[in-house]
Amino acid sequence: CNIGEGANLVLNSNLQIDCSLVVSRGGTLTISRPFAVVGNGTCEILSGGKLSVGNLEGITLRESKGAIQTVTRLYHSEMSLEYIGNSFQRTGDACISASHLVLNNSTGIEFTTDMTIQNGGSLTLRKGYHDLNGKVLTLGTSADSNKLVYEAGGLYSKNNLGVFKRWVPSIVLAGNSGNKYGFFPFAKS
């Protein structure tokens, strides 16, 4: 099964697969809480594909937890990832890199692993306050057009050990001040 350009498969129950489920460029797999893709098959999110996760455990390496519970799980570093829960969520430990990350949970998300958003990618804070939990969230690895989209909420670290790294061109910092150019989305502790 291939979820391609413009298609969105929304799961409101568990989906049992014993073959391959592939989300390709422009396709979206939306997994509502508390459901999951399960079975002996493969679930793969390709570059440009999007995974929207409502599962409280996020996406994990363990077969019996999280939104994807298939035998084989492949997450490409150029995929898009959105957390859409309405109860407290964890990111899970399976995805350490994405092209676009959207934090869209008014109750909050706790990071359970370090995460890097690839160059040219974006971090969107749609709603909620999200705990870095001593982990490192990196927006890009150079000053190449990384985008921070702020709608509401922010980041914090309850143990004061979390780090948000953001790369910005030095020319932007030299002549401009204020949230527009030097914005770091920390909210509360």
Side-chain angles (χ1 to χ4, degrees), residues 58-185:
I59 51 176
T60 70
L61 296 172
R62 290 170 300 240
E63 244 179 78
S64 61
K65 282 191 155 200
I68 309 291
Q69 298 180 17
T70 55
V71 172
T72 304
R73 296 165 252 196
L74 303 167
Y75 307 108
H76 291 248
S77 64
E78 300 286 322
M79 68 180 248
S80 295
L81 180 58
E82 180 174 15
Y83 290 91
I84 57 169
N86 53 16
S87 296
F88 182 76
Q89 274 182 292
R90 290 181 174 80
T91 59
D93 57 4
C95 186
I96 59 169
S97 180
S99 182
H100 303 283
L101 176 63
V102 179
L103 304 178
N104 188 12
N105 180 326
S106 59
T107 307
I109 299 162
E110 179 182 80
F111 282 75
T112 52
T113 189
D114 295 342
M115 187 174 286
T116 298
I117 299 164
Q118 298 299 313
N119 283 338
S122 64
L123 169 63
T124 301
L125 298 172
R126 186 146 293 145
K127 60 185 170 183
Y129 293 95
H130 313 292
D131 183 6
L132 291 175
N133 188 36
K135 306 303 181 210
V136 178
L137 174 59
T138 303
L139 180 55
T141 55
S142 69
D144 293 334
S145 65
N146 298 307
K147 186 174 174 183
L148 177 61
V149 179
Y150 176 79
E151 295 176 18
L155 301 172
Y156 71 99
S157 187
K158 68 181 171 206
N159 58 17
N160 296 320
L161 299 174
V163 175
F164 174 68
K165 291 183 184 180
R166 181 179 184 199
W167 300 87
V168 292
S170 59
I171 192 165
V172 169
L173 293 177
N176 301 293
S177 62
N179 284 345
K180 182 176 179 187
Y181 295 100
F183 179 68
F184 284 86

Side-chain angles (χ1 to χ4, degrees), residues 33-76:
R33 174 184 173 222
F35 306 112
V37 177
V38 299
N40 294 319
T42 297
C43 185
E44 183 173 14
I45 315 298
L46 297 175
S47 296
K50 180 177 179 181
L51 177 62
S52 294
V53 178
N55 191 292
L56 300 181
E57 296 297 325
I59 51 176
T60 70
L61 296 172
R62 290 170 300 240
E63 244 179 78
S64 61
K65 282 191 155 200
I68 309 291
Q69 298 180 17
T70 55
V71 172
T72 304
R73 296 165 252 196
L74 303 167
Y75 307 108
H76 291 248

